[in-house]
Amino acid sequence: MKTKKTILVLVPLLILGTILFNCSQSKETASFSDAAEKVYVAPGKLDEFYAFFSGGFNGQLSVYGLPSGRLFKSISVFSQNPETGYGYSEETKAMLNTSYGFIPWDDAHHPKLSQTNGVPDGRWIFINANNTPRVARIDLRTFETAEIIEIPNSAGNHGSPFLTENTEYVVASTRFSVPVPNKDVAISSYKENFKGTLSFIKVDQNTGRMDLAFQILVPGFNYDLAHAGKGPSHGWAFFTSYNSEQANELLEINASKNDKDFIAAVNWKEAEKYISQGKAKWIDAEYYHNVFDEEKLHAYSEKKSKVLVLNSKECPGIIYYLPTPKSPHGVDVDPSGEYIVAGGKLATVIPVHSFTKMLKAIENKDFIGEVDGIPILRYESVIAGEVENPGLGPLHTEFDGKGYAYTSAFVSSEIVKWKLGTWEVVDRIPTYYSIGHLMIPGGDSKKPWGKYVVALNKITKDRYLPTGPEICQAAQLIDISGDKMKLLLDFPTVGEPHYAQAIPADILIKNNKKFYELEKNKNPYKTNGEKEAKVIRNGNEVHVYMTTTRTHFKPDNIEGIKVGDKVYFHITNLEQDWDIPHGFAVKGLNNSELLIMPGQTKTILWVPQKAGIYPFYCTDFCSALHQEMQGYIRVSTQNSNVKLSYN
């Protein structure tokens, strides 16, 4: 009887449990199905957005599609790339020249799309090298690096590159203060000798060509990130700083003592006036400017020796400090240009400064002190509001253009959505895990495309198949089209993305270059056609003028090369069609392969070390007869009499 009662009780419970479980499963399945539908891009269809992610320690810039999260390309910028020959080929080596010599690597952090009237326009994208301070410009017609300029008097180019509203300037700041000019001094003399610099790089509006216009000397803090003003605040740029204690050791303790550090508000139009009045001084500074000439398909370097410098002490009115709690990292200006949001990574609130109040405080000289002649504004006079309960470790904020801001919180691993004006938190969503930057397409501009926010996470344990001690970093795509944020997709990323930018695909597609026109190719080693293919010896230098087309090289048999010769292969891809690159590699090539786009000429150097027969071949599968696309080089001893010949 007792058993029967037990069964009578358990059976309904089991049925109820099954129903509830199935309901839960059904709800979860429906949720996943809904998310999958929103990120699915059907075969043959295109993504809605291009997204550009910095490569961090791989030194490159990665191109993804959104909402799919598909990786399209890695753009070679600050690091050699054996996949394409960038930094190895004779045409591109100069792109990596610096005042410290040829540097084949760097740490790329922050991409930034060019803007017109505060809106991304799709002309160029800029990105910084953090270690050896440089800024690169990538041409978004070709998705290739067009130019790299070195920044002197800087160390740790972290607060870079951020643009003014019409791309008049790229602004950059020093993370590490150093002696200016650099010199051999005791590190303990930090407060006496170390300075920061804020750099303004002028951008030619027609060509995009960069030129270091001027630098401003500032107190020796650590300058972290930046954003320029927009709308009413156009003409100003804002830089976060920490270590206002000016400590030089154990910064995790000694640079966190002050309750408030500073945002430096820089009136760059006022700086231009000082320069026109002759207040700036030229100082010696060695730095390189490397440009890739698209007609000659060849990079060249210009070594520069002076830079124009303003001393903030001698130029009243160009900088004011806004007290900001505590160790601020990101500084972000809302689409209206009125609010300046800081991410105090040790702060309990998100402080939001008012540009209008800032101007009023400056007018009233509402100062509480100064640092090296730079006035410090009263916090209470410039603050518009504080966002309470913003999560732990707030870092970066972007905007959806609908009146809301989204802030990443590293420690509590979440995105917090809050309302501009009321400062109330209205939603929050966990990220997996430890989010650094976040990105909304156009989210730092005047007109965001506020459909998604992307979380750039630093830790991904248990989210992907493990790959040994090193596992991928990752991004998460989150739908922000409704009141509540909704996670749609995880996708792995390459390198260590620090920041990203995104733009509607149709803005870029219409200008996309499909191939290089042969008749416009001005490379001095170009071969116009197979009849011009040749091999020329000049002492121990041999120049091979080679063509490539489906499905052969011309010439494809070469004899008379000697051990120790410096053999330059100048290869012109004669194809005039989209998506028909050819590759080149020869056995024993201790350089890199070449990947040559249609209409391009590229050159690689090979020095054979042993006599024998050396095959070469196309490394890019280009046609059904790709395997037949090959050739031979005969290498003889140095004292041989084999005559130079080719077919």
Side-chain angles (χ1 to χ4, degrees):
M1 189 65 184
K2 187 176 180 181
T3 303
K4 188 176 180 181
K5 284 184 177 178
T6 302
I7 291 173
L8 288 174
V9 170
L10 286 178
V11 167
L13 286 175
L14 183 61
I15 293 171
L16 179 62
T18 302
I19 292 171
L20 289 175
F21 177 77
N22 285 337
C23 285
S24 172
Q25 286 283 78
S26 175
K27 188 175 180 181
E28 187 175 18
T29 301
S31 176
F32 285 152
S33 173
D34 182 44
E37 187 176 332
K38 288 186 175 179
V39 302
Y40 180 65
V41 178
K45 300 297 182 183
L46 303 179
D47 279 282
E48 183 179 0
F49 292 95
Y50 280 104
F52 298 89
F53 286 57
S54 70
F57 41 61
N58 78 13
Q60 317 291 33
L61 179 67
S62 303
V63 187
Y64 294 81
L66 295 180
S68 71
R70 296 180 296 188
L71 173 62
F72 299 145
K73 177 171 180 166
S74 180
I75 300 174
S76 308
V77 187
F78 297 115
S79 296
Q80 287 180 296
N81 186 356
E83 179 182 334
T84 61
Y86 179 86
Y88 293 94
S89 71
E90 298 303 305
E91 283 81 6
T92 55
K93 282 181 178 175
M95 295 298 284
L96 302 180
N97 286 336
T98 76
S99 62
Y100 303 91
F102 177 85
I103 293 186
W105 167 88
D106 217 303
D107 185 13
H109 272 234
H110 308 122
K112 178 70 181 173
L113 288 158
S114 59
Q115 296 185 353
T116 299
N117 195 26
V119 180
D121 56 26
R123 289 179 292 168
W124 313 298
I125 189 165
F126 300 82
I127 190 167
N128 62 322
N130 194 40
N131 186 51
T132 302
R134 288 170 284 174
V135 170
R137 178 176 60 87
I138 290 97
D139 189 329
L140 289 178
R141 294 174 303 122
T142 61
F143 287 63
E144 298 287 346
T145 303
E147 182 181 12
I148 296 176
I149 191 167
E150 188 179 359
I151 304 176
N153 302 320
S154 176
N157 177 37
H158 193 262
S160 164
F162 295 94
L163 306 180
T164 54
E165 179 171 287
N166 291 301
T167 320
E168 297 96 336
Y169 289 104
V170 175
V171 303
S173 61
T174 49
R175 172 183 171 186
F176 304 104
S177 287
V178 291
V180 178
N182 208 348
K183 56 186 177 183
D184 178 10
V185 299
I187 297 173
S188 59
S189 70
Y190 186 98
K191 291 184 179 178
E192 176 188 353
N193 285 316
F194 288 51
K195 295 291 181 186
T197 54
L198 309 178
S199 300
F200 288 75
I201 301 168
K202 194 77 177 173
V203 180
D204 185 290
Q205 295 303 296
N206 295 317
T207 65
R209 189 69 61 87
M210 297 186 288
D211 183 38
L212 181 54
F214 63 92
Q215 295 184 307
I216 304 175
L217 273 182
V218 287
F221 305 156
N222 292 59
Y223 293 84
D224 204 353
L225 282 166
H227 261 100
K230 54 177 75 87
S233 55
H234 178 55
W236 292 75
F238 305 94
F239 301 82
T240 48
S241 68
Y242 61 98
N243 191 24
S244 53
E245 298 86 350
Q246 299 191 62
N248 59 278
E249 59 183 357
L250 203 57
L251 261 61
E252 65 177 344
I253 296 173
N254 294 324
S256 305
K257 293 179 176 177
N258 292 341
D259 283 340
K260 292 184 175 66
D261 295 285
F262 302 113
I263 289 173
V266 178
N267 186 338
W268 56 263
K269 289 196 173 179
E270 193 69 15
E272 287 180 331
K273 290 180 184 174
Y274 278 115
I275 291 169
S276 66
Q277 294 166 6
K279 300 287 186 182
K281 296 175 182 174
W282 289 101
I283 70 169
D284 294 337
E286 182 181 327
Y287 60 104
Y288 275 71
H289 185 196
N290 310 319
V291 176
F292 190 83
D293 186 318
E294 192 175 314
E295 284 194 347
K296 294 180 180 176
L297 297 174
H298 204 292
Y300 64 88
S301 296
E302 181 183 3
K303 182 180 176 182
K304 301 206 168 188
S305 58
K306 290 188 180 298
V307 63
L308 205 54
V309 175
L310 286 167
N311 190 330
S312 58
K313 272 186 178 180
E314 301 165 357
C315 303
I318 62 169
I319 305 181
Y320 298 89
Y321 279 140
L322 282 63
T324 302
K326 179 171 185 180
S327 299
H329 185 58
V331 56
D332 303 284
V333 181
D334 86 304
S336 75
E338 166 62 16
Y339 298 122
I340 305 146
V341 182
K345 51 188 182 280
L346 300 178
T348 57
V349 298
I350 298 172
V352 183
H353 298 295
S354 160
F355 180 71
T356 303
K357 287 187 172 184
M358 185 193 84
L359 292 183
K360 191 71 174 175
I362 292 171
E363 181 184 347
N364 294 335
K365 299 187 185 308
D366 193 0
F367 308 143
I368 60 170
E370 64 170 37
V371 182
D372 285 357
I374 299 174
I376 304 171
L377 299 170
R378 188 179 304 281
Y379 179 74
E380 294 77 10
S381 299
V382 297
I383 198 74
E386 294 176 335
V387 180
E388 297 183 347
N389 192 22
L392 300 175
L395 294 179
H396 303 281
T397 299
E398 297 238 326
F399 309 91
D400 64 4
K402 305 166 191 169
Y404 294 98
Y406 300 74
T407 299
S408 60
F410 178 83
V411 177
S412 53
S413 201
E414 60 182 330
I415 293 175
V416 178
K417 177 181 177 182
W418 51 275
K419 188 171 178 56
L420 287 161
T422 67
W423 325 121
E424 60 183 325
V425 173
V426 297
D427 193 21
R428 55 206 319 145
I429 189 170
T431 57
Y432 305 94
Y433 305 94
S434 299
I435 180 175
H437 265 282
L438 78 177
M439 179 274 288
I440 293 171
D444 64 345
S445 74
K446 288 169 77 172
K447 293 183 179 177
W449 294 276
K451 189 172 184 178
Y452 306 110
V453 61
V454 176
L456 281 67
N457 301 323
K458 297 298 182 184
I459 297 172
T460 55
K461 59 179 69 172
D462 79 21
R463 300 295 288 186
Y464 296 93
L465 290 174
T467 53
E470 182 185 7
I471 53 180
C472 65
Q473 299 198 18
Q476 292 184 297
L477 184 73
I478 295 165
D479 183 354
I480 58 171
S481 59
D483 292 336
K484 293 289 185 183
M485 292 181 280
K486 182 178 180 181
L487 177 61
L488 299 178
L489 177 71
D490 283 16
F491 59 99
T493 53
V494 293
E496 188 206 3
H498 288 266
Y499 186 42
Q501 293 257 278
I503 187 170
D506 55 5
I507 294 178
L508 299 193
I509 288 174
K510 61 188 177 188
N511 296 321
N512 185 60
K513 192 179 189 72
K514 295 185 175 179
F515 58 85
Y516 295 90
E517 296 170 72
L518 264 177
E519 60 268 28
K520 293 184 179 178
N521 178 346
K522 306 298 182 188
N523 188 303
Y525 298 102
K526 169 192 174 187
T527 304
N528 287 308
E530 293 188 351
K531 291 182 179 177
E532 292 186 10
K534 58 191 175 187
V535 182
I536 297 174
R537 175 178 286 282
N538 182 16
N540 71 336
E541 279 191 10
V542 177
H543 293 266
V544 180
Y545 292 78
M546 180 179 282
T547 64
T548 177
T549 188
R550 286 163 288 180
T551 42
H552 62 274
F553 294 98
K554 183 71 177 179
D556 65 0
N557 275 226
I558 303 171
E559 298 192 11
I561 304 296
K562 298 179 181 180
V563 170
D565 278 345
K566 297 173 71 172
V567 183
Y568 291 92
F569 294 97
H570 310 292
I571 304 172
T572 299
N573 183 347
L574 298 177
E575 307 277 3
Q576 290 291 268
D577 195 4
W578 194 20
D579 199 17
I580 309 291
H582 291 294
F584 175 82
V586 59
K587 182 182 179 184
L589 180 65
N590 56 2
N591 207 329
S592 81
E593 72 145 350
L594 285 182
L595 191 63
I596 312 146
M597 295 301 118
Q600 273 189 327
T601 300
K602 284 190 176 180
T603 302
I604 200 77
L605 171 63
W606 176 53
V607 182
Q609 302 297 313
K610 298 176 184 176
I613 300 298
Y614 291 81
F616 60 89
Y617 69 105
C618 176
T619 53
D620 189 301
F621 199 107
C622 56
S623 72
L625 297 179
H626 166 74
Q627 288 297 85
E628 283 74 11
M629 198 165 171
Q630 64 171 56
Y632 289 107
I633 298 172
R634 177 185 175 187
V635 176
S636 304
T637 58
Q638 290 185 340
N639 58 358
S640 78
N641 294 318
V642 177
K643 184 180 176 183
L644 186 66
S645 63
Y646 54 91
N647 62 353

